[in-house]
Amino acid sequence: MFHPATIRNTRAGLLGALCLLLAIGGNSGSFRVSADVDPLNAPYELVPFSGDATLRDFTAEHLNDPDLWPTVLRLNDLASVADLSPGTVLQLPVVQVALADEALAMSLTAIQKATAEGARLFAPRQIGDAISDRDTAVTRRGEGEWRQVVNFAGSSTDHAVEAFEIAVAQRDRAAEALITDIHGRVEGRDPAEAAWSDRALDDILVEFERVRTLTNSTTQVTFRDLSRLRLNPNSNATIQRMRSDPLTGKEVTKVSLQSGDFYALLNQLSDQDSFEIDVPGIQTTTESDDFWIKKEDDSALFVNYDTAALDIESGTAKVSLGQDEGVVITDGGVTARAEVLERTVLSAPADKSEVFGRAVDLSWRAFPEASGYWFEVAGDPGFNQMITTEWGVKDTGFRVEALIPGVHFWRVAALDKLGLPGKWSETSAFELRIDETPPFLTILAPQEATLVESDAIEVLGAAEAGVMLTLNGAPVKMSSDGSFVMQAPLKVGENQLVLVALDAAGNRSEKRRTVTYVRQEAVQIDLDAGLARQGDLLVSRTPELTVLAATSAPAGLDAVLRDDVGAEIGRTRTGAGGRLAMSVPVGPQPQGYRFEVVSLAGRLVGELAFSVQLDTQAPEIVLDVPPPRATSEETLDLTGVFGDAVSLKLDGQALEMFDDFFATQIALTPGRNAFELRAEDAAGNVGVLAVETLLDLEPPEITSADMQRPSGESGPIEIVVTATDEGGLRQAAPYLVEVGDAEFEGYLRCDSRAGVCRASLPASQGEMSLIEVIVQDYAGNEAFR
């Protein structure tokens, strides 16, 4: 028999032994602590990682549990297995794991002992707390919280000891039954009650108490020896007798089924004298431990699954059912007897698999002779904690909703044409988990916005082990530690690499990288057409010139500027559309430079040489013939040269330029005409020439004309003529005079500014007469007097 004192002594002895073990040194001899030191604070063992095995195998070898590899990574501050290399010395919690595992083993032994004494029936809260604390300890073990593992495992052991003591005491009580499971709504009515009332978990049932289940409800009645009756939906039963013989310890139980059906599992841990089933009009006695009974309006159905017989008596008819036999009995007697159908084979989910979410799709193979199926889902392998049951399912699958996380068990039986359930299938288990955390996923290479010159690139990274990993929809093979490396094909131009990790719960993680593939092709470089040029020479008015160029290169390639001896002057990168811009120094003498475009691999793929020169001299405009001061012509012809100008304008209007000269004709208006010729060279230097002339169509106006002898009659003769003209007077004005009998002719000298023309004649006697004088202006107009 299991004794609480034994558990406590064993537990204390184990902890003492482990402390002593730590005091004298572990197996490896790599550490020593004194006996009065807390063993859970013992230093971790230092073990080098050889790299010959996976981290899981390494962890299994040293900690006896391969699933502790994430804990090893966490203890050693390693983000992933990819950070682990051969020779790395790892800290391993060898002593802590041993203490935790021994504490867990002790709690399991205590729970098993208490359960064997009926703790689930007589101390459900205490044994439940023991199981819960042990489950918590197991969870903490996975998280590496060793002290909490020992604490929760110890608490579990204490609860199990308490449950054991309660169960031993309870088994000495008088015979009675207990409601050990409820699904839905269950009602009861004991002999002292006038009406039905709700029944709850752990309610005690006494003799002559009636129990009924409503639609979609089930309950389990457990007797003191752990024999069980499972009442399915819409069933009504009475516990007619529960008797215990104090002298022999033998028990007698009798249950009456008024309607519905129940499933019975008897005598799991002790022998019983008898268990009788009473169906109206039918008497049943049995030594069978495993059977099913259903009461319908005009018939009763029986199935025996045990090797022991199930004896049935109805009127004069007697039937003894052997193993896996069934019978249908009506008021008229036995109507049908048959062997029940064989086991149904379950399909999905696979046994011990994980299911994520709050629902599960159950499926099984079709049974040819089946008219329907009966399946059950429970929270324990003995189907004591029923979660759902469905009778008469026509399909070979069913979706069970609103489940809570945890381990679930399920089974299916095929129903034959008589409505008799066949053998139960093998029990299958699945663990329902709620997991909404996206799986771990990282890309170590390539980096974002990588440029390459090959048609494939290596993708390196790590993901959570067990996920489904794809790259652009194609599956990616991962190693056992979650790392992966593969070659991704590329097309010319921009490529999107999309890695998706999908875990079993449907959680999704995504990482993206943009990679541009550029073929190694020759790059064409052309100087911008808008740059100032003088022939093949680039010119600038400033000592620095920004040189623009267009290339066929993609954006991001290195571009180098070198002088004519190859020295690097500057460096930049090609911009969008292959644009290139770089400033170069400019001097008075032509200076040669060279653009070079370099591929990602450092190879020269394009170059262009050019020369620049400083130009600060404005172009000179030289007329072939200067314009006249005045003219009577209404048009003016201008011709000349313009130096190195690239544009020539007359009063803002462009003039046609020939190879090295220009020629144009200007319309004049009466009066003064002024024009501006403007020449601009490629560097932007500007030369200006002002042109002015007078369109004069009127002759000069002679205001006076006199001949005088200012020194007396014997003195010289002076001719004075005054005249005005806008364009000015010509310097010479011809005249003809008569003095006495002689005529004289010559030219007056005109002062255009003063408007006076003069001439002197030698002294001569006689009468003076001004016969004619002609005054001309610069336009050629003449005035006579």
Side-chain angles (χ1 to χ4, degrees):
M1 179 176 289
F2 177 57
H3 298 287
T6 302
I7 290 182
R8 297 189 185 97
N9 293 337
T10 302
R11 179 180 176 192
L14 173 61
L15 294 176
L18 287 173
C19 289
L20 180 61
L21 173 63
L22 294 175
I24 64 175
N27 293 335
S28 65
S30 60
F31 62 87
R32 300 180 69 85
V33 296
S34 63
D36 59 351
V37 175
D38 184 350
L40 289 171
N41 290 333
Y44 296 153
E45 286 197 28
L46 302 179
V47 182
F49 180 66
S50 65
D52 296 334
T54 65
L55 181 58
R56 284 180 58 85
D57 295 339
F58 178 83
T59 306
E61 177 184 356
H62 295 280
L63 299 180
N64 297 321
D65 187 351
D67 293 330
L68 288 176
W69 67 269
T71 302
V72 174
L73 288 178
R74 185 169 60 254
L75 288 177
N76 291 272
D77 295 327
L78 296 174
S80 69
V81 180
D83 298 332
L84 186 60
S85 59
T88 300
V89 177
L90 298 177
Q91 301 181 76
L92 299 181
V94 176
V95 172
Q96 289 78 0
V97 172
L99 284 168
D101 289 350
E102 288 295 341
L104 287 170
M106 182 182 299
S107 66
L108 178 61
T109 300
I111 290 171
Q112 291 172 338
K113 291 289 187 181
T115 301
E117 290 298 324
R120 289 186 182 274
L121 177 62
F122 298 109
R125 181 180 60 80
Q126 290 79 3
I127 198 65
D129 290 343
I131 294 171
S132 176
D133 283 352
R134 188 176 189 279
D135 289 342
T136 302
V138 172
T139 301
R140 295 293 186 270
R141 182 182 183 277
E143 298 169 351
E145 300 291 342
W146 315 115
R147 185 174 302 281
Q148 292 192 36
V149 174
V150 173
N151 290 341
F152 276 104
S155 175
S156 172
T157 301
D158 292 342
H159 286 306
V161 169
E162 182 182 1
F164 172 83
E165 293 171 345
I166 293 173
V168 170
Q170 287 289 336
R171 291 194 63 177
D172 292 334
R173 294 174 58 184
E176 57 189 14
L178 198 67
I179 293 181
T180 55
D181 184 46
I182 285 182
H183 180 75
R185 184 177 177 184
V186 177
E187 296 178 340
R189 185 178 177 183
D190 66 26
E193 289 182 302
W196 294 92
S197 61
D198 289 339
R199 290 294 180 260
L201 193 66
D202 297 332
D203 278 356
I204 296 175
L205 305 178
V206 297
E207 279 187 331
F208 303 109
E209 184 160 356
R210 299 174 65 184
V211 180
R212 69 182 181 186
T213 58
L214 304 185
T215 302
N216 297 323
S217 302
T218 63
T219 189
Q220 179 170 280
V221 178
T222 302
F223 298 90
R224 194 174 64 175
D225 65 349
L226 299 186
S227 293
R228 295 174 292 151
L229 291 181
R230 163 72 60 183
L231 270 70
N232 290 317
N234 300 310
S235 298
N236 187 332
T238 302
I239 300 174
Q240 291 186 332
R241 184 165 59 249
M242 289 184 293
R243 286 285 182 264
S244 175
D245 186 341
L247 182 63
T248 63
K250 304 294 184 179
E251 295 185 355
V252 176
T253 303
K254 183 175 181 180
V255 177
S256 174
L257 178 65
Q258 278 74 44
S259 62
D261 68 300
F262 66 69
Y263 184 74
L265 284 174
L266 309 181
N267 302 325
Q268 290 186 324
L269 297 176
S270 62
D271 293 332
Q272 255 184 342
D273 276 351
S274 65
F275 196 105
E276 299 180 10
I277 307 297
D278 182 16
V279 179
I282 303 174
Q283 298 295 322
T284 304
T285 57
T286 182
E287 296 179 358
S288 172
D289 293 343
D290 188 354
F291 56 89
W292 170 85
I293 298 176
K294 183 175 185 179
K295 176 66 176 70
E296 295 182 337
D297 292 339
D298 57 354
S299 62
L301 289 74
F302 299 82
V303 175
N304 180 27
Y305 299 103
D306 194 16
T307 55
L310 175 64
D311 297 325
I312 304 167
E313 183 175 348
S314 176
T316 58
K318 294 183 179 181
V319 177
S320 181
L321 295 180
Q323 186 177 14
D324 299 329
E325 288 184 342
V327 66
V328 178
I329 298 177
T330 63
D331 295 339
V334 177
T335 59
R337 181 171 179 169
E339 290 188 4
V340 298
L341 299 178
E342 290 296 324
R343 297 181 187 274
T344 302
V345 178
L346 305 183
S347 299
D351 189 27
K352 299 179 181 178
S353 61
E354 290 183 337
V355 177
F356 295 89
R358 296 191 179 276
V360 61
D361 291 310
L362 305 177
S363 64
W364 51 89
R365 293 183 190 175
F367 204 98
E369 295 84 3
S371 62
Y373 300 91
W374 177 25
F375 79 84
E376 295 181 337
V377 180
D380 66 305
F383 289 81
N384 296 311
Q385 302 168 17
M386 191 63 64
I387 294 175
T388 187
T389 179
E390 293 288 340
W391 178 278
V393 176
K394 297 300 181 182
D395 296 327
T396 56
F398 196 89
R399 182 175 180 84
V400 182
E401 305 278 358
L403 296 174
I404 62 173
V407 179
H408 298 72
F409 301 84
W410 68 293
R411 60 188 180 183
V412 176
L415 307 177
D416 64 15
K417 295 179 180 180
L418 299 175
L420 301 174
K423 299 178 183 179
W424 284 114
S425 66
E426 297 291 341
T427 298
S428 182
F430 62 88
E431 182 178 2
L432 194 74
R433 293 178 55 189
I434 304 298
D435 181 3
E436 298 176 350
T437 302
F440 168 75
L441 176 63
T442 184
I443 299 179
L444 303 177
Q447 298 301 312
E448 174 63 13
T450 297
L451 291 172
V452 297
E453 295 179 345
S454 59
D455 60 359
I457 191 170
E458 185 176 78
V459 181
L460 172 67
E464 186 175 310
V467 302
M468 182 175 69
L469 186 65
T470 59
L471 175 61
N472 291 346
V476 176
K477 185 177 181 181
M478 296 169 35
S479 62
S480 59
D481 60 4
S483 61
F484 61 87
V485 59
M486 66 171 299
Q487 292 290 321
L490 302 175
K491 60 179 178 60
V492 176
E494 185 176 285
N495 295 261
Q496 288 291 329
L497 303 181
V498 182
L499 269 169
V500 175
L502 193 66
D503 64 16
N507 299 305
R508 188 176 188 270
S509 293
E510 179 181 300
K511 297 290 183 181
R512 290 176 175 265
R513 291 291 185 268
T514 301
V515 177
T516 302
Y517 165 35
V518 182
R519 284 201 182 103
Q520 292 184 352
E521 296 178 346
V523 172
Q524 177 69 29
I525 307 175
D526 296 301
L527 293 177
D528 192 286
L531 291 173
R533 305 168 189 260
Q534 190 64 45
D536 294 333
L537 191 67
L538 300 182
V539 291
S540 173
R541 289 189 301 164
T542 62
E544 187 173 76
L545 174 64
T546 298
V547 181
L548 304 176
T551 77
S552 59
L557 292 188
D558 280 343
V560 182
L561 175 67
R562 300 186 185 277
D563 61 18
D564 52 4
V565 296
E568 183 174 322
I569 304 300
R571 181 179 289 265
T572 186
R573 289 183 181 272
T574 55
R579 297 293 296 171
L580 187 60
M582 204 173 300
S583 296
V584 300
V586 181
Q589 300 300 321
Q591 172 67 49
Y593 294 99
R594 184 173 72 253
F595 273 141
E596 294 181 351
V597 176
V598 182
S599 72
L600 295 174
R603 184 174 65 88
L604 179 66
V605 291
E607 61 180 338
L608 174 67
F610 59 93
S611 297
V612 299
Q613 184 178 13
L614 183 65
D615 181 4
T616 59
Q617 185 68 39
E620 183 182 4
I621 304 173
V622 179
L623 297 177
D624 294 337
V625 178
R629 247 176 102 177
T631 179
S632 60
E633 299 290 334
E634 294 186 0
T635 59
L636 176 66
D637 292 326
L638 291 179
T639 63
V641 294
F642 43 76
D644 61 354
V646 294
S647 71
L648 183 65
K649 295 181 179 180
L650 176 66
D651 286 346
Q653 297 295 318
L655 295 181
E656 184 178 4
M657 303 170 65
F658 300 99
D659 290 341
D660 55 358
F661 72 97
F662 72 93
T664 187
Q665 191 176 70
I666 307 173
L668 302 177
T669 59
R672 191 165 302 278
N673 291 264
F675 306 97
E676 182 184 80
L677 281 170
R678 185 181 184 90
E680 183 174 355
D681 62 17
N685 300 301
V686 177
V688 178
L689 177 64
V691 177
E692 187 173 336
T693 189
L694 178 69
L695 177 59
D696 188 358
L697 302 178
E698 298 294 331
E701 181 181 356
I702 299 174
T703 57
S704 66
D706 295 319
M707 292 181 68
Q708 299 175 356
R709 290 186 176 95
S711 300
E713 291 295 330
S714 60
I717 300 171
E718 187 177 82
I719 305 172
V720 178
V721 177
T722 60
T724 59
D725 191 88
E726 184 180 6
L729 303 177
R730 289 188 180 272
Q731 293 181 349
Y735 65 86
L736 176 65
V737 298
E738 182 180 49
V739 180
D741 295 333
E743 289 185 350
F744 297 91
E745 62 180 355
Y747 290 92
L748 302 175
R749 180 172 294 278
C750 298
D751 183 348
S752 180
R753 180 175 298 178
V756 177
C757 297
R758 296 176 184 272
S760 294
L761 297 176
S764 178
Q765 297 297 319
E767 290 290 331
M768 297 182 298
S769 175
L770 180 61
I771 299 174
E772 184 180 59
V773 63
I774 302 174
V775 179
Q776 293 182 323
D777 59 19
Y778 279 99
N781 301 305
E782 296 178 341
F784 297 89
R785 185 69 178 267

